[in-house]
């Protein structure tokens, strides 16, 4: 099966075309696996279906599952955001926070139910006036360079320990370097978040620096944050080394 890129380009502007192409790549990449796939939170909008009812239906579907897992006190606070208190709050987060160009829902293969989210946060997030909203899920882009971005993610507790997050993160990193032209991808975690630390180590991030007394506005506290980095040069070297293994 081939993607008709000429047709896609005529339907979508360049930004939407690039995302449509990435979704196509993801679809076929995950077909060879037995775990999960990625689905964009604004999937319906990309197909230029403008009827409000249709778009609302897609948002409603994701809001139900987002609230189911984001209300868990074991999920949000360790990442810097409080448990969601209502389905309406989760819907608001989808509309106003999980609306980035490279934000994706994580779904198990064969099941459209969202169980988490992953995003490459691009430079546009730096100049926002709504900083608290950007922090809603505990991550935002802290660089001002167009060739750098921030990897952020979270996953519902029932799906921890299955290897889902490293798998999704590796493909997002590949996408960032190969498709988006990034030279550096950053990622961080707050002191005590050992699960996130292990994920970042597993996918190849290396320690860069520690920030003390970082404001976490949604939790009304300050924390210590550890910052990790992945350069394109390092990523390519690791990929070539792994390809050489028998």
């Amino acid at each position: 099966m081939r993607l008709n890129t000429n047709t896609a380009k005529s339907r979508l502007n360049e930004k939407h075309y690039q995302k449509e192409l990435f979704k196509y790549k993801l679809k076929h990449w995950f077909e060879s696996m037995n775990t999960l796939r990625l689905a964009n939170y604004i999937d319906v909008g990309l197909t230029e279906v403008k009827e409000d009812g249709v778009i609302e239906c897609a948002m409603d579907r994701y809001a139900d599952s987002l609230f189911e897992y984001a209300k868990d006190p074991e999920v949000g606070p360790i990442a810097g955001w409080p448990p969601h208190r209502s389905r309406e709050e989760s819907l608001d987060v989808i509309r106003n926070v999980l609306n980035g160009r490279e934000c994706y829902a994580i779904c198990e293969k064969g099941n459209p139910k969202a169980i988490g989210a992953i995003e490459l946060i691009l430079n546009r997030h730096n100049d926002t006036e709504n900083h608290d909203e950007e922090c809603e899920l505990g991550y935002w882009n802290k660089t001002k360079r167009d060739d750098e971005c921030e990897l952020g993610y979270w996953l519902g507790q029932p799906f921890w320990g299955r290897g889902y997050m490293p798998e999704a993160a590796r493909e997002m990193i590949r996408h960032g370097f190969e498709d988006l032209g990034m030279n550096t991808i950053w990622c961080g975690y707050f002191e005590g978040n050992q699960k996130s630390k292990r994920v970042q180590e597993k996918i190849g991030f290396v320690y860069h620096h520690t920030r003390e007394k970082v404001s976490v506005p949604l939790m009304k506290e300050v924390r210590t944050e550890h910052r990790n980095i992945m350069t394109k040069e390092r990523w390519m070297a690791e990929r070539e080394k792994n390809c050489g293994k028998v």
Side-chain angles (χ1 to χ4, degrees):
M1 178 180 178
R2 294 181 179 272
L3 176 67
N4 188 334
T5 55
N6 291 329
T7 301
K9 281 185 174 178
S10 67
R11 278 195 306 119
L12 308 169
N13 62 32
E14 183 62 22
K15 180 177 73 174
H16 285 172
Y17 165 74
Q18 290 295 336
K19 185 180 288 186
E20 196 78 358
L21 182 60
F22 177 47
K23 286 161 55 187
Y24 171 83
K25 290 179 180 179
L26 282 173
K27 177 180 180 293
H28 291 274
W29 184 70
F30 281 120
E31 278 180 352
S32 64
M33 311 182 77
N34 296 314
T35 52
L36 75 164
R37 64 181 181 86
L38 303 184
N40 197 273
Y41 272 105
I42 53 172
D43 226 3
V44 175
L46 291 179
T47 61
E48 297 189 335
V49 178
K50 300 300 183 182
E51 296 84 351
D52 289 344
V54 176
I55 293 174
E56 281 295 322
C57 179
M59 285 186 171
D60 285 353
R61 183 176 69 246
Y62 287 128
D64 289 336
S65 54
L66 177 61
F67 176 56
E68 179 179 350
Y69 302 118
K71 67 183 180 182
D72 185 345
E74 297 297 319
V75 173
I78 193 69
W81 46 276
H84 288 194
R85 294 163 294 184
S86 67
R87 180 186 175 282
E88 288 68 31
E89 180 180 359
S90 295
L91 181 58
D92 183 68
V93 168
I94 291 174
R95 288 171 169 164
N96 299 304
V97 181
L98 298 173
N99 61 352
R101 171 181 155 190
E102 297 298 335
C103 184
Y104 296 84
I106 298 176
C107 308
E108 289 187 293
K109 187 174 180 179
N111 186 347
K113 183 178 181 179
I115 61 174
I118 189 166
E119 179 175 9
L120 290 176
I121 306 100
L122 307 180
N123 187 30
R124 70 174 182 82
H125 280 227
N126 264 57
D127 299 323
T128 180
E129 296 179 358
N130 300 317
H131 185 262
D132 284 3
E133 287 189 0
E134 287 302 310
C135 300
E136 176 68 34
L137 288 180
Y139 51 80
W140 64 97
N141 190 13
K142 303 178 182 69
T143 177
K144 293 184 178 180
R145 295 176 57 99
D146 289 336
D147 64 347
E148 297 185 3
C149 63
E150 181 91 9
L151 175 67
Y153 52 81
W154 71 273
L155 187 68
Q157 187 177 14
F159 307 95
W160 294 355
R162 301 188 186 184
Y164 286 5
M165 191 55 72
E167 186 176 74
R170 287 190 184 101
E171 175 59 10
M172 289 295 281
I173 290 168
R174 184 213 60 76
H175 172 53
F177 288 135
E178 290 192 343
D179 303 330
L180 301 181
M182 295 294 148
N183 286 318
T184 301
I185 298 177
W186 295 88
C187 199
Y189 64 93
F190 291 126
E191 183 73 35
N193 191 346
Q194 293 301 309
K195 289 183 174 61
S196 189
K197 176 184 179 181
R198 286 195 294 270
V199 167
Q200 293 173 41
E201 291 173 344
K202 186 177 294 186
I203 60 181
F205 278 92
V206 295
Y207 173 78
H208 189 271
H209 67 276
T210 294
R211 300 170 66 220
E212 304 287 349
K213 297 181 179 179
V214 175
S215 176
V216 186
L218 291 177
M219 300 299 292
K220 296 181 173 59
E221 60 188 31
V222 295
R223 297 184 183 178
T224 297
E225 181 192 29
H226 303 289
R227 302 286 292 151
N228 294 328
I229 190 172
M230 171 86 72
T231 63
K232 185 174 184 179
E233 183 180 15
R234 175 181 172 80
W235 175 77
M236 291 180 66
E238 286 295 317
R239 185 174 65 168
E240 289 178 6
K241 182 173 69 175
N242 292 332
C243 286
K245 293 180 179 179
V246 177

